[in-house]
Amino acid sequence: MGSTVISIPEELSPPLPSIKEEKERPNKLSIIFSHLGELQKNKQKMRKLIHSVKVGIALVLVSLLYLLDPLYEQVGENAMWAIMTVVVIFEFFAGATLSKGLNRGLGTIVGGGLGCSVATLAQEMTGMGKASTIIIGSSVFIFGAAGTYTRLQPSIKKRYDYAAMIFILTFNLVIVSGLRAEEVLELARDRLSTIGMGFAVCIFISLLVFPTWASDELHDSISSKFQDLAKAIEECLEDYFTLDTEKDNQPCRRSSGSGSCRSVLHSKSKDETLANFAKWEPWHGKFGLYYPWNKYLQVGEQLRDLAPIVLSLKACLQSPRQPSSSVRQSIKEPSEAVGLSLALTLQELGESVMKMRRSQQEAVIMPELKSMRVELNSIISSSKFGPLENVDELAISSFVFLLIEMVEKVEELAKEVEELGELADFRTK
């Protein structure tokens, strides 16, 4: 049986540099991302400490409503609502705090106002008899069921789930209080005022005292994913072409690349949460209003599409059906050249996202990716390694096919990063 050849569109492009030249090229981007990773770890620890101190300060301030007699005389036992508000809505990110605070205010106002209206209407129509109880009970059922159904809608649950929950809670607390209409209004007014005090304290401290922005976290998270995948590709290819006698000495390195890919693969929920919080944040730093957070999510999705391909490539070196080391060595230089070029391209794209600028897609990246595809077309030709057994042909073809898939995904990723760079330039001008 002849050698298996994977058809690639013929494109004339200059050959890739040799593997020796690629390794000798100074990789400043790796050094930059390495230092940034260490700084990020230390920064994260400091941010957690600062957040804890900020929450403590906020609790002290709202506790003064209880501790100082002049303030206690004004709000009374309703001061507990201010303390509860701080505990509930003060989140790590400023956008999350603002989101929960506005949702809590919206739910409280709508639920309290509606509860007061229904309670007043019931008392005016029927007094305090059994008929009033029936009306109130029916209202609790209708609005409780409607509010719960609303919470289950994806569009509402994504951004206003907390507001719907607070609406249900406030409506029920107000309407079943069993008080006269004027006392219900007074109760709602006092609770709303103390909740507003707690909200004001949280927003003031969260936004003005060492704020932690979800937009910055999302920006850094997306940027770091490029470096994670680049390192995983480098490690995969190095392990694949390592001699069988040397593989037992590198168990830790083989697992680190898989861990990086899995962290990228499972990052969708985190990215969506950060993007949602970022949309609530006010103008700050280089991030303006209407910033393209959805484009960040699209870039993250492209990275997650690339991650399983790298994991599949990782599985190649763990398969017992792989060809011998001598066969793998025959395609070592061109394959590693492609792998290192892919890693370098990912690092350059990550730097473009990190610095919020357009990538060098037309001038450098896209021509280089096209040259990789031409090189991969020649790797599995029979002239490279001579006749092989059927299993060896399948294994080598599978390995090269995964490399081709990675090149195509990086091409798509480069286009997304280019669009993000254009939007970033437009928004920040």
Side-chain angles (χ1 to χ4, degrees), residues 236-391:
C236 282
L237 289 173
E238 183 174 344
D239 289 339
Y240 187 77
F241 294 109
T242 299
L243 296 176
D244 294 334
T245 56
E246 300 175 359
K247 283 189 175 182
D248 294 336
N249 299 326
Q250 300 177 339
C252 296
R253 288 205 57 186
R254 290 202 302 272
S255 61
S256 61
S258 299
S260 298
C261 289
R262 289 191 176 94
S263 65
V264 173
L265 194 59
H266 299 153
S267 63
K268 182 176 181 178
S269 177
K270 177 184 175 182
D271 289 350
E272 290 180 346
T273 300
L274 290 174
N276 183 35
F277 292 154
K279 293 175 182 178
W280 290 91
E281 293 177 350
W283 188 298
H284 64 280
K286 293 185 291 185
F287 297 97
L289 296 174
Y290 309 110
Y291 202 76
W293 301 120
N294 289 332
K295 181 59 68 175
Y296 270 82
L297 295 180
Q298 292 175 16
V299 172
E301 197 66 35
Q302 291 289 343
L303 289 167
R304 283 186 287 274
D305 288 342
L306 178 60
I309 302 177
V310 180
L311 286 174
S312 299
L313 191 68
K314 189 74 175 176
C316 285
L317 62 94
Q318 299 172 342
S319 173
R321 296 182 178 86
Q322 284 304 306
S324 63
S325 297
S326 60
V327 175
R328 295 200 299 269
Q329 293 300 312
S330 64
I331 61 170
K332 176 179 179 179
E333 184 170 338
S335 297
E336 283 196 335
V338 170
L340 288 176
S341 297
L342 280 174
L344 185 59
T345 299
L346 286 172
Q347 290 170 348
E348 291 175 346
L349 292 175
E351 186 185 28
S352 298
V353 174
M354 181 180 65
K355 294 184 177 180
M356 300 174 67
R357 61 169 173 79
R358 297 181 63 179
S359 63
Q360 301 174 337
Q361 177 185 356
E362 296 297 332
V364 177
I365 294 180
M366 296 304 292
E368 187 172 1
L369 291 173
K370 291 178 180 178
S371 68
M372 291 182 202
R373 288 196 288 147
V374 173
E375 182 70 13
L376 289 173
N377 188 35
S378 63
I379 286 180
I380 54 176
S381 63
S382 58
S383 60
K384 284 283 183 183
F385 39 75
L388 296 174
E389 297 296 332
N390 292 343
V391 176

Side-chain angles (χ1 to χ4, degrees), residues 41-60:
K41 291 180 181 179
N42 296 331
K43 182 180 178 181
Q44 188 70 7
K45 293 179 181 178
M46 183 59 64
R47 287 162 62 187
K48 291 179 180 179
L49 178 60
I50 292 175
H51 174 71
S52 302
V53 173
K54 287 163 61 177
V55 173
I57 294 174
L59 289 172
V60 169

Side-chain angles (χ1 to χ4, degrees), residues 152-214:
L152 299 177
Q153 304 306 308
S155 58
I156 299 297
K157 188 176 184 64
K158 185 176 182 180
R159 300 193 67 180
Y160 303 106
D161 178 69
Y162 188 63
M165 182 185 70
I166 294 299
F167 163 79
I168 298 172
L169 174 63
T170 305
F171 178 82
N172 280 271
L173 288 176
V174 171
I175 199 172
V176 303
S177 298
L179 303 175
R180 301 179 186 275
E182 59 274 11
E183 293 178 346
V184 171
L185 292 173
E186 182 180 357
L187 175 64
R189 185 185 66 250
D190 292 341
R191 289 185 178 179
L192 185 60
S193 64
T194 53
I195 289 173
M197 294 177 188
F199 172 71
V201 169
C202 289
I203 294 303
F204 177 81
I205 295 178
S206 181
L207 296 182
L208 300 181
V209 181
F210 299 104
T212 304
W213 304 109

